[in-house]
Amino acid sequence: MGKALDPQSGGPDMVRSADAPRPPDDSRWRELLSRAGRAGRWIVDHDWAGTPLGPLADWPPSLRTALVVCLHSPTPAALWWGPGLVLLANDDYLALLGPAGTRALGRPASAVWPDAVPALTGVLTAARVTRHGDDGAGPVFSSGPVVDAAGHPQGVLTTVAAAPGGIADAAPGDPVVVADGDRRRALRQAEGLARLAGALSAAGSRDAVMEVVGAVTPGLVGADGVRVAAATAGAWELTVTGDAGTAELRVTDDEPLARAVREETIVPLPDGLCLPLRDGTGAVLGALEVRWDGPAADEEARRILLDAVAGLCSQALRRAELTASARAMAEFAARLSVTRSTGEAIEVILDAAPSALGAALPGLAMRDEGRRVRLWHAELPSGLVATFDDLTIDDPRPIAHALRTGERIILRNRAEFAARHPGLPDPAGEYGMVTTVVLPLLDASRRPIAALGFGWPRERVLHDDDLALLDTVADLCEQTLERVRLAAAEHNLVTRLAGRLRTSATIGPPGLELATRYQPAMSGLHLGGDWYDLVDLDDGRLAVVVGDVVGHQVEAAADMAQLRTVVNTLIRSGVPLAEVFPRLTGLLGVGFLGTCLAMVVDPVAGQAQVARVGHPHPVLLRPGRPPETVWTGHSLPLGLVRDPVPVTTVAFGPGDLLVAYTDGLVERRDQAYDAGVTALHEVLVPVRDQPVEVIADTLLTKLSGSDDDQALVVIRHAG
């Protein structure tokens, strides 16, 4: 990462009329309704705008599909839709209702058939299939849920099978005669559609949906062969599943499936049909190809059934698309949540945001020094990179414009780019992008701090849900960049404060080599609480103090400064190590908690005295021997000590190495504490003979990844 580029271009944010979804071509659907008897014609002619169902043109695909099946059923069938269970039924079902049937369409179940409301509500809320009348005494009523693209039940489809005595026994009204052959065929089709709908509702991915369609559809429509193609919005590739397995197809290929997707129309075949699969906005999700071995007795009935199958397939593909998008967004958010710096955040944005959107060629622009703009990208052609060298904030190209103005830019094709920027080079178009987008990323004050660009190689129409997804991506990126920016500012502030409060001199008495380190946590959660201090004593001795205050940020740094000063003063005053910590409690009380280690190193006498209150044990490394922990007696943590602390004396001769540290060096969320200490010992061994500065740097580098700050002192007896 770190190479500069504007990988995308875009055009101005479309006005509402241009950005609105294209309405689906419903001429075929209206024709099917109009040819479905009096009920169908009434539904088409009725003004639904003031009803709970809304205008006819806005009815969702799930309602349209179920209504076609209902109205063209050769047996009585009814569709109860929405929370109010509004009735839409075919002529045969309305006849069952007697004279009231002519007034029943468009009315709620509570007004049409109150006794049926509990059973219908149970089907709608529990999404289960029910059957009534299996005792043979009357007709059989079968009811099942109709789900939308998200898998939520929205209506109930009821079909009625004739009893031996005929449908007329079911309810008042004129008798309805249904031939046995038609009844059996209708029942088989209804069962097949129910089986297909159930299998599709359980399919959790696009591949699973395509597998179900290929397995169930041939038997349902009596086809000799079925293939289904799924399209990814903005991409040229189609995934095709059929009897021969899974294959890839280009939208530009001369194949019926590719033509149906490319031309967004039905493609007739000598032995079959190829239908585009559309979502509720009219966007093509793929295509369904069906081939028959011979002609059908009723081509119109077969076509109606195929329309119903295509509707179910479209809903399932859209549901799978939404599920995949939600998973990708969740993964994107999870990856962003653990970033700790601007560099890490940019890397995740460039890698994961395009995956969540199915886009390509991502680039992120941020202000640099003066008027310059720095552009980050992942892997892009060198020629495209060179196109955006020396980009400035007043450049007219879309990514600089979005960074300068905070305007979201959406460009559907390169013609729109040319219209907006006549004569301006279009590198995104030259490298295969058709639809491009630039998202401004704003800070808490709603000022642009970055601009994210990407595109698709095939024209992609962005509908309302797509725009909402873009907004979500922008929100996640904005929150992350603002979080890491604030964390970095706080990190720098507390680091400067803490640095002024720590000993800077590391010369020490003759005979000792010293290296000290302090490394703040990058997460911003535990800044400022760790410290070290070196105190020169008489007779060539050195006092070493390493401590850790419980707390966060500036408060911890303030506590640390006070504790360090008092401990330093007590040691300089000649207070014995055993008495330092209880004296500290007596002076400052118990308004703080922490841990501390104090050592007095005497290179002349060849020994070190160690006193510890809740702190990690130091490590001693002698020439030719493995590292060992310097064990001391137990004591309460810092701030709770009232009695003298046990003092341990260890030999410390020429060549010996002592390492004192805070727990941030060895503690990790994903490992036991002892494992961290073992790792510390293992890192020490290969560098034991290196200069102490090298040893200190190696420890911090090899043991990185802590969420806490770290203090470290390395001492060698130079002899």
Side-chain angles (χ1 to χ4, degrees):
M1 205 188 77
K3 293 173 283 186
L5 169 68
D6 165 18
Q8 312 303 335
S9 301
D13 201 3
M14 300 281 97
V15 295
R16 180 62 183 153
S17 60
D19 255 345
R22 291 176 298 175
D25 180 7
D26 61 357
S27 58
R28 168 66 180 169
W29 180 63
R30 289 176 179 268
E31 177 189 355
L32 288 173
L33 296 188
S34 298
R35 295 167 58 183
R38 288 176 296 174
R41 291 191 294 274
W42 185 90
I43 291 172
V44 171
D45 295 337
H46 185 65
D47 182 8
W48 295 92
T51 73
L53 299 187
L56 189 70
D58 294 341
W59 287 9
S62 51
L63 173 54
R64 295 180 177 218
T65 300
L67 186 56
V68 168
V69 174
C70 170
L71 294 183
H72 286 274
S73 173
T75 62
L79 180 63
W80 312 86
W81 196 259
L85 296 170
V86 175
L87 175 64
L88 302 167
N90 64 9
D91 291 342
D92 290 343
Y93 193 93
L94 296 177
L96 295 178
L97 302 178
T102 57
R103 302 186 302 275
L105 283 173
R107 301 180 67 194
S110 59
V112 177
W113 200 337
D115 293 342
V117 171
L120 294 172
T121 302
V123 174
L124 184 64
T125 57
R128 66 175 185 269
V129 177
T130 63
R131 290 171 62 89
H132 299 285
D134 284 332
D135 56 5
V140 179
F141 290 79
S142 299
S143 296
V146 178
V147 299
D148 61 14
H152 302 133
Q154 299 294 338
V156 178
L157 179 63
T158 299
T159 58
V160 184
I167 291 291
D169 296 334
D174 296 334
V176 179
V177 180
V178 180
D180 285 345
D182 288 342
R183 182 175 64 85
R184 286 193 295 269
R185 185 177 73 250
L187 288 175
R188 285 197 303 269
Q189 291 179 358
E191 291 172 355
L193 286 171
R195 187 165 58 254
L196 177 62
L200 288 174
S201 66
S205 66
R206 189 177 74 172
D207 290 344
V209 168
M210 297 172 69
E211 184 177 349
V212 167
V213 174
V216 179
T217 303
L220 174 59
V221 301
D224 187 50
V226 169
R227 292 198 304 164
V228 59
T232 300
W236 286 108
E237 294 75 21
L238 300 174
T239 301
V240 180
T241 297
D243 294 337
T246 301
E248 296 295 323
L249 192 67
R250 296 272 298 176
V251 175
T252 53
D253 289 346
D254 189 21
E255 286 266 355
L257 283 170
R259 284 185 56 200
V261 173
R262 181 174 67 249
E263 300 172 8
E264 302 185 5
T265 187
I266 297 172
V267 178
L269 305 173
D271 56 350
L273 205 61
C274 200
L275 296 87
L277 303 176
R278 302 176 183 272
D279 65 11
T281 66
V284 175
L285 303 170
L288 178 67
E289 179 187 280
V290 182
R291 296 178 183 267
W292 289 277
D293 193 23
D298 188 346
E299 287 288 348
E300 181 63 21
R302 185 161 69 179
R303 175 62 193 280
I304 292 170
L305 180 61
L306 194 58
D307 283 338
V309 171
L312 292 173
C313 297
S314 298
Q315 295 171 42
L317 283 175
R318 179 56 175 162
R319 185 165 59 248
E321 184 181 80
L322 293 173
T323 300
S325 176
R327 288 174 179 167
M329 289 301 297
E331 180 181 352
F332 180 40
R335 291 183 61 184
L336 284 176
S337 69
V338 297
T339 57
R340 300 187 298 176
S341 67
T342 301
E344 287 183 7
I346 292 175
E347 186 173 359
V348 171
I349 289 170
L350 292 176
D351 179 57
S355 299
L357 298 167
L361 299 187
L364 188 79
M366 301 184 76
R367 287 179 178 268
D368 205 353
E369 296 179 358
R371 296 168 51 253
R372 291 185 57 79
V373 172
R374 185 173 186 182
L375 298 142
W376 304 81
H377 71 93
E379 295 295 332
L380 292 169
S382 58
L384 189 53
V385 174
T387 306
F388 291 91
D389 287 343
D390 302 322
L391 189 65
T392 60
I393 192 63
D394 53 358
D395 193 288
R397 282 173 289 189
I399 200 162
H401 179 83
L403 180 60
R404 182 174 66 251
T405 66
E407 176 188 1
R408 182 178 67 182
I409 298 172
I410 298 175
L411 185 66
R412 289 183 177 172
N413 51 54
R414 308 331 296 163
E416 291 187 4
F417 179 90
R420 177 182 172 93
H421 301 292
L424 189 69
D426 182 11
E430 293 172 3
Y431 281 85
M433 293 297 99
V434 176
T435 298
T436 50
V437 170
V438 181
L439 300 177
L441 306 181
L442 312 178
D443 63 12
S445 300
R446 310 312 295 165
R447 294 172 301 192
I449 56 174
L452 175 63
F454 43 81
W456 293 269
R458 187 165 67 95
E459 182 171 342
R460 176 171 183 177
V461 178
L462 297 170
H463 303 298
D464 287 345
D465 52 354
D466 299 309
L467 298 177
L469 189 62
L470 292 179
D471 289 340
T472 302
V473 169
D475 288 344
L476 289 172
C477 294
E478 288 169 353
Q479 294 168 20
T480 301
L481 291 174
E482 184 72 358
R483 173 178 58 79
V484 297
R485 184 189 68 81
L486 293 174
E490 181 183 53
H491 176 274
N492 293 334
L493 171 64
V494 178
T495 299
R496 290 196 301 270
L497 173 62
R500 295 189 180 192
L501 298 174
R502 292 179 176 85
T503 302
S504 58
T506 57
I507 298 175
L512 295 180
E513 297 175 356
L514 300 171
T516 59
R517 295 289 186 273
Y518 172 73
Q519 180 165 287
M522 291 305 297
S523 65
L525 297 177
H526 300 285
L527 296 177
D530 290 14
W531 88 91
Y532 63 82
D533 196 6
L534 304 177
V535 183
D536 285 325
L537 303 176
D538 56 9
D539 300 326
R541 296 175 302 150
L542 177 71
V544 178
V545 182
V546 180
D548 183 359
V549 179
V550 175
H552 305 286
Q553 302 161 350
V554 176
E555 292 82 358
D559 287 343
M560 177 272 293
Q562 186 179 30
L563 291 170
R564 174 191 174 277
T565 300
V566 175
V567 172
N568 184 295
T569 301
L570 290 172
I571 291 176
R572 287 183 184 277
S573 300
V575 175
L577 281 185
E579 298 289 342
V580 168
F581 299 115
R583 292 272 193 96
L584 180 69
T585 304
L587 290 170
L588 300 181
V590 293
F592 59 89
L593 285 175
T595 68
C596 193
L597 170 75
M599 300 189 300
V600 175
V601 180
D602 188 343
V604 177
Q607 66 179 24
Q609 292 180 309
V610 183
R612 185 185 65 88
V613 285
H615 200 81
H617 298 273
V619 177
L620 177 62
L621 188 59
R622 304 185 190 277
R625 296 173 61 180
E628 58 183 277
T629 298
V630 179
W631 299 102
T632 68
H634 295 291
S635 175
L636 292 173
L638 191 68
L640 300 178
V641 182
R642 296 188 182 277
D643 299 321
V645 174
V647 176
T648 300
T649 301
V650 295
F652 187 63
D656 290 350
L657 195 72
L658 267 172
V659 179
Y661 56 92
T662 56
D663 57 9
L665 194 67
V666 295
E667 280 191 337
R668 301 290 182 274
R669 293 181 181 179
D670 57 349
Q671 71 177 17
Y673 178 83
D674 289 344
V677 175
T678 299
L680 169 62
H681 289 189
E682 292 173 349
V683 171
L684 274 173
V685 172
V687 295
R688 63 193 307 160
D689 297 325
Q690 297 291 323
V692 290
E693 295 288 343
V694 174
I695 295 173
D697 288 339
T698 302
L699 287 173
L700 290 183
T701 301
K702 297 290 187 181
L703 301 175
S704 62
S706 174
D707 290 331
D708 200 355
D709 48 349
Q710 305 161 6
L712 171 67
V713 178
V714 180
I715 313 166
R716 172 179 281 140
H717 194 307

